[in-house]
Amino acid sequence: MTLQETLEIKIKEAVKSIYDTELPSVELQPTRKDFEGDITTVVFPMLRVVKGNPVQIGESIGNYLVENVEEIEKFNVVQGFLNIVLSDSYYLNFFNSVTNFSTYGKVPQGSEALMVEYSSPNTNKPLHLGHVRNVLLGYSVSEIEKAAGKKVYKTQIINDRGIHICKSMLAWEKFGNGETPESTNLKGDKLVGNYYVKFDQEYKKEIVALKAEGKTEDEAKAQAPLMLEAQNMLRKWEAGDKETVDLWSKMNGWVYEGFEETYKSIGVDFDLYYYESDTYLLGKDIIDEGLKKGVFFKKDDGSVWCDLTEDGLDEKLVLRSDGTAVYMTQDLGTAVQRVKDHQDVGGMIYTVGNEQDYHFKVLFLILKKLGYKWAENLFHLSYGMVDLPSGKMKSREGTVVDADDLIAQMTATAREISEELGKIDEFSDEEKEVLYRTIGLGALKYYILKVDPKKRILFNPEESVDFQGNTGPFIQYTYARIQSILRKAASTSKSVDSSEVTMHPKEKELIKIIKQYPEAIQLAAQNYSPALIANYTYDLVKEFNSFYQNVPILATDNEVEKAFRVKLSAAVGEVIKSAFALLGIQVPERM
């Protein structure tokens, strides 16, 4: 039985014993930092069944708890809040009971799997800053769900077909002179992305020329020769024309190699890949099934719709009148196919920007109406856009912030700041480069993940690589400081008997935060929010730094105190490392 459960029982016992009445429920919460205490019970809701002054009721219950619960040392009542102070021995016993803080808080994997989709790029351009937030969120949520006991499949659907892909292909064919990633020394995704931009530039020239001939804007856009050729190329691809399909395969192959290099650089991975070229025909069988069930209806022109007006939405097209699929058709088919492929999947998380909120509301509702049990466990991990101080990004115009360039910039900023601080002179050049990259990537990931996913971010690279405040480098530096303490204390291997330790209040506060780590993981998993892990880690690190500044660790003459403080520091280090791993962030042994 947990202490919380014990307290709930004992508080009900107290009310029964003192007031001879049954208390239906007990409200417990962590004590606010400005009051003494560890757990607070709110007296006000009790007034529905217990008549009297809330302060006196709190005092009576507090006295009963001190007498009847071994772990409670004392209490105080502030207005209608009973603040309970737990004994040092309670925290010491907990601390000594954990055999391995590197795995502490993580739950063994269950049988039901969760599929997390993230990245899902187009194969006509490199990954950019917007993708970075997507992949960091998707990867981190996957790791958090695993820590909370879920089996997780990390997946993406690659948008490898459509008019946008044909634009890059056509521009390369017309203006590329046979260029390859090898001949240009460019990553494949960058080379293909350049031709997407090139198409847009040449297309705009044609529009200007046609308008000069007297065409309207819309006429010029529709009649521009390049656009007509791109549309023809798409028709040829859909008809399976060998030359077109070969070119498509070659250029997509370049892009995939480029993507993999970027993913490796960012430090994310995938278990499964789905391709739109395979899935765009899926879903038509589901439409037939839905028509039979009455979930869909046909209009006079032959198009198929789903009426969601009773659910507060609108009518949604699921199949065009000519029998061709729309995105919704494809997404229905892909979801069902994924569960067919992996029958242990009991739910899915889609990491997609908030501009698609409505689409996913509709998708999930239709899947529920079709009767799929797992459709109850679908979640759209909706996130806000990432802006830079310079403004919005546009891929067609080539003004996006390239993910690879961003990582290089972050590494360069970390190098500049680290060299100014001058604390790594004894590092080899290779060690320095690894450290700069670790700090730069840690700064980027933490800055993005510490923000609630739903909020828009203004990303400031310089601000993120600050060694003070709520930043990745500040937390990494604290971890490195702890490792330095452990190296100096290597000879201290004394086991700690809790009866010998007199705890400093700062030590108690640290253990209290460590104890909250399993709850932080579960809460982050329930809310699909890496921000909760980031903020938990920052709170732990702030508390450790306060402990470090106020309590001598290696400087104490008391060997029991020294051994305990070293062991406590090591535990904090393990939890920082574990929590940062859930965010996909590495921690350096030295800084």
Side-chain angles (χ1 to χ4, degrees):
M1 191 185 294
T2 66
L3 179 65
Q4 178 144 338
E5 288 165 341
T6 301
L7 282 175
E8 286 175 9
I9 290 167
K10 291 296 180 184
I11 290 167
K12 286 179 180 179
E13 265 181 28
V15 171
K16 178 70 177 167
S17 170
I18 302 163
Y19 299 102
D20 192 27
T21 187
E22 301 289 340
L23 192 61
S25 62
V26 176
E27 190 179 322
L28 293 170
Q29 59 194 38
T31 303
R32 280 172 48 182
K33 290 202 171 177
D34 39 347
F35 297 116
E36 184 188 17
D38 301 298
I39 300 173
T40 294
T41 185
V42 189
V43 178
F44 293 115
M46 300 179 190
L47 299 179
R48 287 195 291 270
V49 293
V50 181
K51 302 305 171 196
N53 180 305
V55 175
Q56 288 174 345
I57 294 168
E59 295 275 354
S60 303
I61 296 170
N63 286 319
Y64 184 92
L65 293 176
V66 169
E67 285 177 26
N68 291 279
V69 182
E70 187 186 343
E71 294 90 348
I72 295 177
E73 186 177 275
K74 56 182 176 175
F75 70 91
N76 62 80
V77 180
V78 179
Q79 295 174 329
F81 297 91
L82 168 58
N83 303 317
I84 298 161
V85 179
L86 299 174
S87 65
D88 286 2
S89 61
Y90 167 74
Y91 285 106
L92 277 170
N93 290 337
F94 151 72
F95 183 71
N96 289 325
S97 72
V98 179
T99 52
N100 186 353
F101 279 100
S102 64
T103 55
Y104 172 66
K106 296 178 180 175
V107 176
Q109 182 182 291
S111 58
E112 190 172 84
L114 191 62
M115 195 171 278
V116 183
E117 178 195 290
Y118 56 98
S119 190
S120 303
N122 294 332
T123 57
N124 62 324
K125 55 193 173 191
L127 300 170
H128 57 63
L129 178 56
H131 290 115
V132 170
R133 186 175 197 188
N134 183 302
V135 297
L136 295 183
L137 270 174
Y139 177 84
S140 180
V141 165
S142 300
E143 294 303 307
I144 289 166
E145 294 295 335
K146 278 198 273 186
K150 285 279 197 321
K151 180 181 180 182
V152 174
Y153 295 112
K154 302 171 186 168
T155 190
Q156 59 173 316
I157 182 159
I158 298 169
N159 302 305
D160 63 343
R161 61 169 284 279
I163 192 69
H164 50 294
I165 311 297
C166 291
K167 287 176 182 178
S168 300
M169 289 162 59
L170 183 65
W172 181 83
E173 206 173 49
K174 281 184 167 298
F175 312 110
N177 300 313
E179 279 188 349
T180 66
E182 290 74 26
S183 72
T184 57
N185 204 25
L186 273 177
K187 278 177 78 225
D189 53 337
K190 287 193 172 43
L191 179 68
V192 173
N194 288 346
Y195 284 101
Y196 183 60
V197 173
K198 178 70 173 169
F199 177 93
D200 193 59
Q201 290 167 346
E202 298 300 323
Y203 175 50
K204 280 177 176 167
K205 287 180 194 172
E206 290 184 349
I207 290 169
V208 169
L210 286 166
K211 281 168 74 177
E213 293 173 14
K215 306 281 186 195
T216 66
E217 178 89 16
D218 288 345
E219 286 171 342
K221 282 180 177 177
Q223 293 171 26
L226 263 180
M227 183 57 79
L228 294 174
E229 280 187 79
Q231 288 165 347
N232 186 48
M233 185 177 264
L234 179 59
R235 282 191 289 272
K236 284 162 77 175
W237 180 87
E238 288 181 348
D241 175 71
K242 186 179 184 309
E243 195 178 318
T244 307
V245 171
D246 286 350
L247 174 61
W248 171 80
S249 297
K250 176 168 72 177
M251 291 181 71
N252 275 350
W254 294 345
V255 173
Y256 298 146
E257 284 178 19
F259 284 170
E260 284 307 313
E261 203 178 311
T262 304
Y263 292 141
K264 190 176 175 186
S265 182
I266 295 174
V268 300
D269 59 6
F270 299 89
D271 304 309
L272 305 165
Y273 294 82
Y274 285 84
Y275 298 88
E276 196 179 312
S277 54
D278 295 329
T279 64
Y280 82 107
L281 297 176
L282 291 175
K284 292 191 180 181
D285 291 346
I286 294 165
I287 304 301
D288 290 341
E289 182 193 323
L291 278 166
K292 286 174 195 160
K293 286 182 176 177
V295 174
F296 305 130
F297 70 95
K298 221 173 229 190
K299 289 196 174 178
D300 293 342
D301 64 356
S303 59
V304 181
W305 297 72
C306 187
D307 186 356
L308 303 172
T309 50
E310 282 186 10
D311 302 280
L313 304 177
D314 58 7
E315 290 185 349
K316 184 69 185 175
L317 176 71
V318 293
L319 203 66
R320 293 191 188 97
S321 55
D322 61 1
T324 55
V326 290
Y327 268 114
M328 187 58 69
T329 331
Q330 179 182 315
D331 282 352
L332 290 166
T334 304
V336 173
Q337 188 62 46
R338 284 170 170 172
V339 180
K340 279 182 185 168
D341 292 345
H342 302 277
Q343 292 181 12
D344 53 352
V345 169
M348 293 181 224
I349 298 171
Y350 293 81
T351 313
V352 182
N354 57 13
E355 72 278 5
Q356 294 292 331
D357 284 355
Y358 187 77
H359 175 84
F360 284 102
K361 264 186 197 168
V362 171
L363 174 65
F364 298 167
L365 186 54
I366 293 175
L367 286 164
K368 282 178 193 170
K369 285 180 180 291
L370 287 166
Y372 294 107
K373 191 182 169 190
W374 43 264
E376 299 295 329
N377 302 316
L378 300 176
F379 182 76
H380 174 205
L381 180 51
S382 172
Y383 62 91
M385 295 297 103
V386 183
D387 297 317
L388 288 161
S390 56
K392 277 189 172 181
M393 306 180 293
K394 292 179 183 170
S395 358
R396 281 193 306 277
E397 294 167 17
T399 59
V400 299
V401 177
D402 182 280
D404 298 315
D405 294 345
L406 179 64
I407 292 165
Q409 183 191 343
M410 296 302 296
T411 304
T413 306
R415 179 186 295 112
E416 197 179 301
I417 292 173
S418 299
E419 283 173 354
E420 275 175 27
L421 293 171
K423 293 185 179 181
I424 52 169
D425 295 340
E426 76 280 10
F427 282 41
S428 69
D429 288 345
E430 190 180 336
E431 285 173 329
K432 283 179 183 176
E433 286 308 313
V434 170
L435 178 64
Y436 301 147
R437 191 172 182 77
T438 301
I439 295 170
L441 270 174
L444 169 67
K445 291 180 179 186
Y446 187 82
Y447 196 94
I448 285 176
L449 292 174
K450 74 178 180 179
V451 179
D452 182 282
K454 291 186 277 298
K455 291 182 179 171
R456 198 166 185 139
I457 293 178
L458 180 66
F459 179 67
N460 186 323
E462 284 73 28
E463 197 180 281
S464 73
V465 192
D466 193 337
F467 280 74
Q468 296 298 321
N470 190 5
T471 67
F474 171 65
I475 294 169
Q476 288 173 321
Y477 185 73
T478 301
Y479 177 83
R481 169 180 277 168
I482 290 169
Q483 300 319 299
S484 173
I485 292 167
L486 300 183
R487 284 192 293 273
K488 288 172 187 169
S491 58
T492 309
S493 57
K494 184 179 171 70
S495 63
V496 183
D497 178 354
S498 60
S499 63
E500 296 179 64
V501 175
T502 304
M503 273 212 302
H504 189 284
K506 291 287 176 190
E507 293 167 339
K508 181 178 173 179
E509 282 304 310
L510 259 186
I511 295 174
K512 196 195 292 189
I513 296 177
I514 290 171
K515 193 173 185 303
Q516 293 163 3
Y517 184 47
E519 190 185 337
I521 291 174
Q522 292 299 327
L523 204 58
Q526 287 159 24
N527 290 280
Y528 310 108
S529 177
L532 296 176
I533 295 294
N535 294 325
Y536 166 83
T537 314
Y538 179 56
D539 287 344
L540 176 64
V541 163
K542 270 195 306 184
E543 198 58 55
F544 177 81
N545 279 292
S546 177
F547 159 73
Y548 177 81
Q549 285 154 14
N550 289 283
V551 182
I553 300 173
L554 300 179
T556 179
D557 295 328
N558 184 316
E559 288 303 314
V560 171
E561 281 182 353
K562 185 187 292 185
F564 175 68
R565 288 168 188 173
V566 168
K567 187 180 176 186
L568 180 55
S569 299
V572 172
E574 292 287 7
V575 174
I576 292 170
K577 187 175 185 177
S578 168
F580 256 33
L582 299 183
L583 303 177
I585 303 175
Q586 294 180 318
V587 282
E589 297 297 308
R590 294 188 298 157
M591 263 173 93

